[in-house]
């Protein structure tokens, strides 16, 4: 089933409706204008409630304020800002019994100091726990308020979301609560994977796909996102121990059916219009599941384009306060920097049908690790699931491509080419041997040798920058995990954790006593982004030649080969060529030229680079002297600031041009 879902999710990259029209700058502006519109609607008392509320709105008293504060805090607004402090003080004093309102208020507490909210968190947790239905058929679901009897899936998802927030802050929610919620939502799912506003009766559940009842009893995108998101929460609360033993991919049939329903119906959802409430649900399951695509659509790109297009040009709002807050939450949480791309892959059988690989034995490892990193670094971060059916440039939402498993890797030639291109354009491949699998570790080493034959794996030295110049230092770890790396002399191209199995601890959220298993990944992540070069979705370092630019000239550059590490960053020249094409309307053409072979004639520019000490024979030296004497320009580049190469080059140049 997992493979079937993958084939649906990743059939294609782009369709006419999935082209991303909203730039990073447009999204930034949209968020800023929407936040400004919320502040303008805040009243003198510090809240966002309506002056005159109808009976329906009154049941969720405080909900508008909670949602506005949640959106503002999630977007990076300081909790010390006067407007935020005033709103929080008002919110803390309110007696609230609406499930939507309570569910949103608890999200606000996550952004405040723990000692500031300890008592109110416990109060809200008790209210939400008591409000959950206790009757057998609807046990684990919620009513619209704590005093009414009529339940629905919409209110229920906000009750669970509120309890999840309390669990993050308290960690004391009884397990029987999560079991009841989990069973209730699984029982309410249609066979085709969708959920409706109300739980369907036996006749509706037995209906064939396409024969669903109408109205509140029919599956919808809003309620299906609610169901999937809720099961991700209950899965994390109930099944922490799954994945300890490496026995193959862990599959949740209900979640998989729900994701398949979203994939098959996503285009219909888009064309039929969508509420901002639904967009918030899409963002929640997109982030929780890690999937970048639903059907053929990149859910974040499409949603961002829609929000930029629909924003009121005069006020900066998307309708009322809740809709504006939902729009902000979609943009800021959906575009959060991606810690890692987890690779979904199969095993190439050399002509036979590919065999599913054990890539997902710890289905929540990346999710739980990312949540921990978000708390440690005090900012929202995401993770993704990708595969190699897409172009290599699509993998660069993250600098880390995470490959885990316990089988010997077997990629096709095309897949290996994409992996190589990903690394050459700045990425790092991180291999994780589940349960310390030797076949996986050995095959990962072979893969590295095949992709980059000039380099060898070695144990990272204790003074490596990953261990000494990040937030956590290796010298403080009780049992430092082994990490081997393959470097081009400038940076690590591939890293392998061969024996210590840290993903086991990420999956089970086991931190105390084995802190190094999480802190290691923090160091690897900060190393990959140079401790601060985080990019939002919509931003990229990849330079692509513009088809609208017609080059008017050509520049030829000789890339000088010698007996040494003469080509550490080949992808850099491809990037530079695209930049020159776009900004100077010129074709930059590079050619590899062996020094001493007499092939430098005709070039005006030559490039010499490396990372280590080197020497040239007399024939090569004479060729360089003649090249410069004939008017050529020699560019000497110590790749990555390599001191050994720089010193050797300085000696060489002093000898050639005394």
């Amino acid at each position: 089933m997992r493979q079937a879902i993958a084939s649906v999710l990743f059939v294609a990259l782009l369709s006419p409706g999935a082209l991303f029209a909203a730039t990073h700058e447009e999204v930034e502006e949209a968020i800023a204008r929407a936040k400004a519109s919320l502040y303008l609607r805040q009243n003198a008392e510090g809240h966002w409630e309506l002056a005159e509320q109808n009976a329906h709105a009154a049941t969720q008293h405080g909900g508008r304020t909670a949602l506005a504060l949640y959106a503002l805090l999630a977007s990076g607004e300081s909790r010390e800002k006067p407007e935020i402090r005033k709103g929080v003080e008002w919110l803390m004093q309110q007696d609230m019994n609406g499930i939507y309102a309570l569910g949103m208020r608890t999200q606000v507490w996550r952004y405040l100091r723990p000692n500031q909210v300890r008592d109110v968190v416990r109060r809200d947790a008790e209210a939400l726990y008591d409000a959950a239905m206790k009757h057998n058929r609807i046990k684990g679901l919620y009513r619209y308020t704590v005093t009414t009897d009529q339940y629905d899936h919409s209110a229920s998802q906000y009750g669970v979301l509120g309890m999840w927030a309390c669990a993050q802050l308290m960690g004391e929610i009884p397990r029987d609560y999560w079991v009841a919620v989990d069973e209730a939502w699984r029982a309410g799912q249609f066979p085709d994977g969708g959920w409706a506003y109300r739980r369907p009766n036996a006749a509706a559940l037995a209906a064939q796909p396409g024969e669903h009842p109408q109205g509140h009893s029919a599956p919808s995108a809003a309620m299906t996102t609610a169901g999937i998101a809720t099961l991700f929460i209950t899965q994390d609360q109930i099944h922490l121990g799954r994945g300890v033993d490496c026995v193959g991919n862990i599959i949740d049939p209900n979640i998989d059916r729900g994701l398949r329903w979203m994939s098959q119906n996503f285009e219909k959802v888009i064309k039929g219009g969508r509420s901002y409430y639904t967009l918030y649900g899409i963002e929640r399951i997109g982030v929780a599941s890690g999937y970048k695509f639903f059907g053929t659509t990149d859910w974040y790109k499409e949603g961002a384009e829609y929000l930029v297009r629909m924003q009121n040009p005069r006020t900066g709002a998307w309708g009322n306060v809740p809709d504006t807050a939902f729009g902000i939450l979609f943009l800021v949480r959906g575009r959060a920097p991606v810690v890692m791309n987890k690779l979904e892959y199969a095993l190439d059988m050399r002509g036979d049908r590919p065999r599913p690989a054990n890539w997902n034995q710890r289905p929540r490892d990346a999710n739980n690790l990312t949540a921990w990193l978000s708390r440690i670094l005090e900012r929202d971060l995401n993770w993704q699931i990708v595969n190699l059916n897409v172009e290599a440039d699509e993998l660069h939402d993250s600098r880390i491509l995470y490959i885990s498993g316990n089988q010997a890797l077997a990629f096709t030639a095309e897949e290996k080419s994409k992996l190589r291109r990903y690394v050459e354009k700045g990425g790092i491949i991180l291999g994780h041997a589940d349960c310390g699998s030797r076949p996986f570790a050995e095959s990962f080493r072979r893969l590295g040798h095949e992709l980059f034959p000039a380099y060898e794996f070695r144990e990272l030295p204790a003074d490596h920058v990953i261990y000494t110049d990040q937030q956590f230092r290796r010298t403080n770890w009780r049992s430092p995990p082994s990490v081997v790396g393959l470097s081009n002399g400038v940076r690590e191209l591939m890293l392998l954790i061969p024996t210590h199995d840290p993903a086991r601890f990420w999956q089970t959220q086991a931190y105390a006593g084995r802190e190094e298993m999480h802190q290691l990944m923090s160091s690897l992540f900060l190393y990959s982004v140079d401790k601060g070069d985080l990019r939002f979705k919509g931003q990229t370092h990849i330079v692509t030649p513009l088809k609208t630019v017609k080059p008017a000239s050509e520049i030829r550059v000789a890339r000088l080969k010698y007996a040494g590490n003469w080509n550490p960053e080949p992808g850099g020249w491809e990037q530079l060529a695209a930049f020159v094409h776009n900004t100077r309307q010129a074709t930059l053409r590079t050619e590899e030229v062996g020094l001493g072979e007499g092939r430098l004639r005709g070039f005006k520019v030559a490039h010499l680079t490396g990372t280590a000490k080197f020497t040239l024979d007399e024939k090569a030296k004479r060729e360089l002297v003649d090249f410069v004497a004939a008017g050529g320009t020699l560019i000497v580049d110590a790749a990555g600031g390599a001191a050994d190469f720089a010193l050797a080059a300085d000696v060489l140049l002093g000898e050639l041009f005394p």
Side-chain angles (χ1 to χ4, degrees):
M1 182 174 287
R2 178 73 67 178
Q3 294 301 313
I5 291 169
S7 67
V8 174
L9 288 173
F10 299 105
V11 163
L13 250 182
L14 295 173
S15 66
L19 296 176
F20 186 33
T23 65
H24 168 69
E25 291 73 22
E26 288 172 330
V27 170
E28 283 275 297
E29 182 181 358
I31 294 170
R33 295 180 69 236
K35 290 196 295 185
S37 77
L38 285 184
Y39 282 124
L40 285 173
R41 297 188 189 191
Q42 187 179 22
N43 63 29
E45 296 178 2
H47 63 79
W48 280 263
E49 303 306 300
L50 294 173
E52 295 183 6
Q53 293 183 334
N54 58 34
H56 180 78
T59 61
Q60 303 302 322
H61 171 71
R64 289 166 62 93
T65 300
L67 189 50
L69 287 170
Y70 175 29
L72 291 169
L73 288 166
S75 70
E77 294 294 282
S78 172
R79 61 194 176 198
E80 301 301 330
K81 192 170 183 174
E83 295 89 338
I84 299 293
R85 292 180 64 180
K86 195 169 186 179
V88 168
E89 289 170 1
W90 182 90
L91 196 63
M92 283 187 169
Q93 297 168 5
Q94 303 311 302
D95 183 15
M96 296 161 55
N97 64 8
I99 299 303
Y100 292 96
L102 283 169
M104 284 294 97
R105 182 162 73 172
T106 56
Q107 307 311 307
V108 175
W109 305 151
R110 294 193 299 119
Y111 291 89
L112 305 180
R113 295 187 182 91
N115 61 351
Q116 181 184 3
V117 297
R118 186 177 295 110
D119 292 338
V120 292
V121 169
R122 188 171 300 280
R123 178 189 66 190
D124 286 351
E126 291 174 354
L128 288 168
Y129 181 81
D130 292 340
M133 300 297 282
K134 305 299 192 293
H135 306 300
N136 287 335
R137 183 174 180 274
I138 51 178
K139 186 178 180 180
L141 298 176
Y142 281 90
R143 303 157 287 186
Y144 205 70
T145 72
V146 298
T147 58
T148 58
D149 291 327
Q150 195 172 41
Y151 76 94
D152 62 69
H153 283 142
S154 179
S156 294
Q157 76 155 323
Y158 281 86
V160 176
L161 185 61
M163 286 294 274
W164 170 82
C166 293
Q168 306 304 301
L169 295 164
M170 292 171 44
E172 301 173 6
I173 308 302
R175 189 176 186 275
D176 64 352
Y177 168 83
W178 299 115
V179 171
V181 170
D182 187 74
E183 292 175 351
W185 281 85
R186 292 181 191 276
Q189 186 182 27
F190 282 96
D192 65 0
W195 274 269
Y197 183 74
R198 297 267 169 77
R199 178 186 286 189
N201 56 31
L205 285 174
Q208 295 298 315
E211 298 179 358
H212 295 304
Q214 300 300 309
H216 285 333
S217 297
S220 68
M223 292 301 96
T224 300
T225 61
I228 298 169
T230 298
L231 290 187
F232 272 120
I233 289 175
T234 59
Q235 177 183 215
D236 290 344
Q237 300 299 322
I238 299 172
H239 301 300
L240 285 179
R242 291 198 305 176
V244 171
D245 300 319
C246 301
V247 293
N249 294 334
I250 294 177
I251 294 173
D252 188 311
N254 296 87
I255 290 177
D256 287 350
R257 286 205 306 272
L259 290 172
R260 184 168 56 190
W261 189 97
M262 285 298 299
S263 297
Q264 293 171 342
N265 291 275
F266 200 72
E267 290 294 330
K268 188 191 307 180
V269 172
I270 295 170
K271 293 176 182 177
R274 67 224 101 168
S275 68
Y276 299 99
Y277 170 99
T278 303
L279 279 178
Y280 174 58
I282 290 171
E283 173 270 317
R284 285 183 64 205
I285 65 169
V287 170
S289 70
Y291 281 110
K292 184 175 180 177
F293 295 92
F294 291 132
T296 61
T297 304
D298 183 322
W299 61 266
Y300 179 75
K301 286 185 177 182
E302 197 282 333
E305 188 276 331
Y306 176 83
L307 286 169
V308 168
R309 177 162 44 87
M310 296 301 292
Q311 190 173 33
N312 188 308
R314 183 175 58 84
T315 67
W318 290 290
N320 58 24
V321 167
D323 284 349
T324 301
F326 282 137
I328 292 172
L329 287 167
F330 178 94
L331 290 178
V332 299
R333 286 176 46 78
R335 73 166 188 158
V338 179
V339 171
M340 64 169 69
N341 285 327
K342 185 174 184 178
L343 185 66
E344 177 183 16
Y345 63 95
L347 303 178
D348 178 40
M349 302 307 292
R350 299 185 181 181
D352 292 336
R353 187 174 182 177
R355 187 166 57 122
N358 294 341
W359 67 276
N360 204 31
Q361 299 186 110
R362 281 73 180 264
R364 306 304 286 164
D365 54 357
N367 177 80
N368 295 340
L369 175 70
T370 300
W372 178 82
L373 278 171
S374 295
R375 293 192 296 271
I376 293 297
L377 301 178
E378 297 185 345
R379 64 172 302 158
D380 279 336
L381 298 168
N382 286 338
W383 66 289
Q384 284 185 163
I385 293 174
V386 299
N387 71 12
L388 295 176
N389 292 334
V390 302
E391 295 300 322
D393 286 357
E394 286 291 327
L395 303 176
H396 283 281
D397 285 336
S398 172
R399 315 288 179 83
I400 297 176
L401 182 64
Y402 173 57
I403 305 178
S404 62
N406 64 342
Q407 302 158 296
L409 297 170
F411 292 111
T412 67
E414 181 182 2
E415 290 170 337
K416 292 174 185 176
S417 175
K418 290 179 179 179
L419 292 172
R420 183 184 298 108
R421 284 183 58 79
Y422 170 75
V423 173
E424 288 179 348
K425 287 197 173 183
I428 300 172
I429 300 176
L430 172 62
H432 181 282
D434 291 351
C435 294
S437 167
R438 179 175 292 181
F440 177 94
E442 292 177 347
S443 68
F444 190 85
R445 290 175 184 266
R446 289 194 298 270
L447 175 66
H449 182 71
E450 187 173 351
L451 297 182
F452 307 104
Y455 312 116
E456 297 289 339
F457 280 99
R458 87 285 183 215
E459 185 76 27
L460 292 191
D463 62 352
H464 194 285
V465 64
I466 289 175
Y467 294 145
T468 61
D469 196 31
Q470 311 304 331
Q471 182 177 9
F472 300 105
R473 291 179 174 268
R474 186 177 188 269
T475 52
N476 296 328
W477 296 344
R478 280 176 283 188
S479 179
S482 169
V483 181
V484 297
L486 183 147
S487 172
N488 63 355
V490 177
R491 60 188 176 92
E492 300 300 327
L493 307 179
M494 299 178 69
L495 294 166
L496 170 65
I497 305 174
T499 55
H500 282 73
D501 200 18
R504 172 184 178 179
F505 300 90
W506 308 341
Q507 170 73 16
T508 58
Q509 300 184 44
Y511 182 75
R514 299 304 301 271
E515 291 86 351
E516 61 269 18
M517 296 303 183
H518 284 70
Q519 293 178 4
L520 168 64
M521 194 60 216
S522 172
S523 296
L524 295 182
F525 171 61
L526 292 175
Y527 169 79
S528 75
V529 299
D530 200 18
K531 290 194 291 188
D533 188 20
L534 291 173
R535 295 189 177 96
F536 295 109
K537 282 192 178 180
Q539 288 181 300
T540 180
H541 69 284
I542 303 297
V543 186
T544 303
L546 298 174
K547 295 181 180 179
T548 55
V549 174
K550 304 300 180 186
S553 60
E554 180 178 282
I555 304 169
R556 294 175 64 224
V557 176
R559 300 190 56 222
L560 302 178
K561 295 174 62 176
Y562 61 91
N565 191 23
W566 67 274
N567 190 29
E569 294 285 10
W573 278 101
E574 184 178 348
Q575 293 276 81
L576 183 60
F579 179 79
V580 170
H581 171 94
N582 295 345
T583 62
R584 293 293 181 266
Q585 298 79 49
T587 298
L588 176 58
R589 199 176 306 282
T590 62
E591 298 178 34
E592 299 175 3
V593 175
L595 267 176
E597 297 178 1
R599 295 171 50 210
L600 267 178
R601 290 173 185 165
F603 287 95
K604 294 183 179 180
V605 180
H607 177 249
L608 178 68
T609 188
T611 60
K613 293 179 180 179
F614 71 101
T615 58
L616 300 179
D617 60 28
E618 292 303 319
K619 194 173 182 180
K621 293 177 183 178
R622 172 50 52 190
E623 189 169 28
L624 284 179
V625 170
D626 292 345
F627 169 73
V628 173
T633 298
L634 175 63
I635 301 172
V636 184
D637 161 34
D644 288 345
F645 177 88
L647 291 172
D650 189 52
V651 171
L652 174 67
L653 293 175
E655 180 183 346
L656 298 183
F657 309 107

